Amino acid sequence: MRVPAPFLRGVGLAASFAGAALLIGAAPAGAGEDGKGSGSAERPPKLAAAAWMLVDGRSGEKLAGQATGERLPIASTTKLMTAYLTLRDLPLDREIEAPPYSPLPAESVLGLDRGERISVRDLLVAMMLPSANDAAFALADEVSGSIPRFVKRMNGAAAKLGLDDTSYENPIGLDDPLNGSSARDLITLTRELREDRRFRKIVSKSEATLRSGSTRRKVETRNTLMLSDDTVDGVKTGHTLGAGYVLVSSAERMGVPLLAVVLGAGSEAERDTASEALLDYGFSLYSRRRALRRGEPVGTTSLADASEPLELVAARSEQVTARADQQIEVDLEVPADLEGPIAAGEPVGRAVLRLDGERIAAVPVLAGREVAASGLLDKASKPVAGLFILGGLILVGSAFVIAIYRGRNRPVEGVAGRTPEQRLVSRRRRTERRQEGKRE
């Protein structure tokens, strides 16, 4: 069936629900699919950390936190901003020359030789997984030409991103009174970074082999939480005497991404335990709910012949993972003024599912009954169509009358159309033929 375009979202519909959108009510706390699931009404855990925060990775909505706006030392999570500027300015396949770097005792380094050529991609991997300080230093120098200029860029970018609790003094995260941020700002920066597919791919690795440089190197992540929980897919660790143990982590379960920050933990084990407890609490708030059921009516749409509206039904069932306090909205997208013939069960549009305004799925919608083709009389019943049809009939009738009139008054060829001389000759010939017949 050919249907008129364009598609209209939520408008132009004779909908059976207010506002052309169906709201699926929030499920009770702890309810999953059909009222059963893993949802939890427990309170957020108490963590052994100076500050922490948990957010929904899709919307950025805060789910739990403590001292989220307090500015604290952040150790190597400083490198998140170094990665942000590098990804904006440098192609990953560019090879750069490593500048000289003199590490302090116990610093994490890749062991770059002065003048060694290595790719930006490998330096980013080394900076994010084993947290190599010489890799961060080399990237900062390549982006801006000097460390002071790069630090100025870092603070400028922080201001543009609205990181009001953040300031930088170096691209590495070494302890400095001027180098710090908050759990809230680290979440904001991480969400920005995770919009970049290249960043997500890098931080999701537990290990990698660096193929550029003077020698092949194998590196491993310091994110031990990733090694113990396979739903964790990043992001960055940090540790200094001033900052304690720090972790920005991301994880996804049931299709839901969460981001967590823990600052100032007393040990690596406490950092991981706190982060895991925070993520477990966050995911306990979500459960699977059936948003649409196959064959379920989702609304109606008007037809071109102005007959009874056409009921629309869902082509398949659809489940959504959501919190108990979230609403699922269904918007219809169907062509305006559908025309028959339409078979019962024929696809005529789609139902778009939105969670707190964000599109999460689309399900085809089908005609709930058969719609016959519109006939001439049906079209004539419409005011505008009727005028066009009436005008056409008048024109056809007028042409017919004119043709008849002209036919009656047209001279008969060979008689009225001949001259007197031609008629005289014709009579003479007829007379001669009669006389010849008598003589015979």
Side-chain angles (χ1 to χ4, degrees):
M1 177 194 68
R2 300 187 61 144
V3 293
F7 278 89
L8 303 176
R9 195 193 102 226
V11 296
L13 299 174
S16 61
F17 41 86
L22 175 63
L23 295 178
I24 299 176
E33 179 185 342
D34 299 326
K36 300 176 182 179
S38 60
S40 172
E42 295 179 2
R43 293 183 178 181
K46 294 183 178 181
L47 307 179
W52 44 271
M53 188 174 182
L54 175 71
V55 303
D56 185 312
R58 295 176 296 194
S59 65
E61 184 176 354
K62 176 183 173 183
L63 305 178
Q66 174 180 291
T68 59
E70 183 177 349
R71 188 175 178 277
L72 295 167
I74 58 171
S76 283
T77 56
T78 297
K79 295 184 175 84
L80 291 170
M81 180 58 80
T82 304
Y84 176 76
L85 293 176
T86 298
L87 289 167
R88 288 183 60 184
D89 285 19
L90 301 180
L92 296 186
D93 58 356
R94 177 185 295 181
E95 288 197 350
I96 67 176
E97 188 174 302
Y101 183 75
S102 300
L104 298 173
E107 273 193 53
S108 174
V109 294
L110 187 60
L112 294 171
D113 296 324
R114 180 175 181 175
E116 178 181 352
R117 298 195 65 80
I118 187 169
S119 71
V120 170
R121 177 184 288 103
D122 282 351
L123 288 172
L124 278 168
V125 171
M127 179 178 72
M128 299 307 294
L129 271 61
S131 201
N133 289 352
D134 53 350
F137 189 91
L139 290 171
D141 185 72
E142 181 69 17
V143 169
S144 297
S146 73
I147 299 305
R149 283 198 291 269
F150 186 78
V151 170
K152 186 176 181 180
R153 286 276 309 277
M154 294 174 77
N155 287 306
K160 288 182 180 179
L161 291 171
L163 309 183
D164 298 331
D165 310 318
T166 300
S167 68
Y168 297 106
E169 186 58 23
N170 60 75
I172 294 171
L174 301 175
D175 283 335
D176 189 287
L178 295 179
N179 203 91
S181 187
S182 65
R184 178 175 57 203
D185 282 2
L186 284 172
I187 287 285
T188 300
L189 177 56
T190 301
R191 291 191 68 218
E192 185 73 23
L193 276 164
R194 287 186 64 82
E195 292 293 318
D196 192 319
R197 179 188 57 82
R198 300 170 299 169
F199 177 82
R200 297 195 308 272
K201 183 176 180 179
I202 289 172
V203 298
S204 66
K205 298 175 182 289
S206 59
E207 61 180 33
T209 298
L210 310 184
R211 303 187 182 279
S212 63
S214 59
T215 183
R216 182 170 294 190
R217 300 173 171 96
K218 186 174 182 179
V219 297
E220 297 179 353
T221 183
R222 286 178 174 265
N223 188 351
T224 50
L225 183 62
M226 182 186 294
L227 303 178
S228 62
D229 183 345
D230 60 7
T231 69
V232 176
D233 55 10
V235 172
K236 187 70 189 78
T237 61
H239 172 245
T240 63
L241 292 177
Y245 289 83
V246 178
L247 177 60
V248 179
S249 57
S250 62
E252 183 172 327
R253 302 175 194 171
M254 301 179 294
V256 175
L258 296 184
L259 295 177
V261 173
V262 172
L263 297 174
S267 68
E268 185 177 271
E270 289 182 358
R271 177 199 73 188
D272 288 359
T273 298
S275 298
E276 185 74 14
L278 204 53
L279 291 170
D280 285 346
Y281 164 74
F283 285 119
S284 75
L285 302 176
Y286 293 80
S287 59
R288 296 287 285 173
R289 307 214 304 260
R290 193 184 298 276
L292 289 177
R293 210 176 276 274
R294 181 180 179 181
E296 174 187 15
V298 293
T300 61
T301 187
S302 59
L303 295 170
D305 60 6
S307 62
E308 180 182 352
L310 176 64
E311 184 178 65
L312 307 172
V313 299
R316 67 169 188 268
S317 298
E318 186 72 23
Q319 293 182 336
V320 172
T321 303
R323 300 191 309 274
D325 63 334
Q326 291 181 298
Q327 285 186 323
I328 304 166
E329 183 180 273
V330 181
D331 288 342
L332 286 179
E333 293 182 352
V334 298
D337 295 333
L338 287 170
E339 292 187 11
I342 303 173
E346 183 176 342
V348 293
R350 57 180 173 257
V352 176
L353 279 71
R354 301 180 190 278
L355 185 64
D356 290 346
E358 180 183 353
R359 177 176 174 147
I360 55 173
V363 175
V365 293
L366 313 176
R369 62 177 172 85
E370 182 180 358
V371 178
S374 298
L376 182 63
L377 294 179
D378 294 329
K379 295 179 181 295
S381 64
K382 294 184 178 182
V384 175
L387 288 176
F388 279 109
I389 294 173
L390 179 60
L393 292 174
I394 292 174
L395 289 175
V396 172
S398 299
F400 183 72
V401 171
I402 292 172
I404 293 175
Y405 176 78
R406 287 178 175 174
R408 288 179 176 177
N409 291 277
R410 182 182 295 123
V412 177
E413 186 177 352
V415 181
R418 290 182 295 178
T419 63
E421 290 79 6
Q422 291 172 329
R423 289 196 294 272
L424 179 60
V425 170
S426 179
R427 283 198 297 271
R428 287 176 179 174
R429 289 177 178 174
R430 288 197 299 273
T431 301
E432 290 173 356
R433 286 196 291 271
R434 287 195 296 269
Q435 291 174 350
E436 290 174 359
K438 289 179 181 180
R439 283 196 296 267
E440 293 174 356

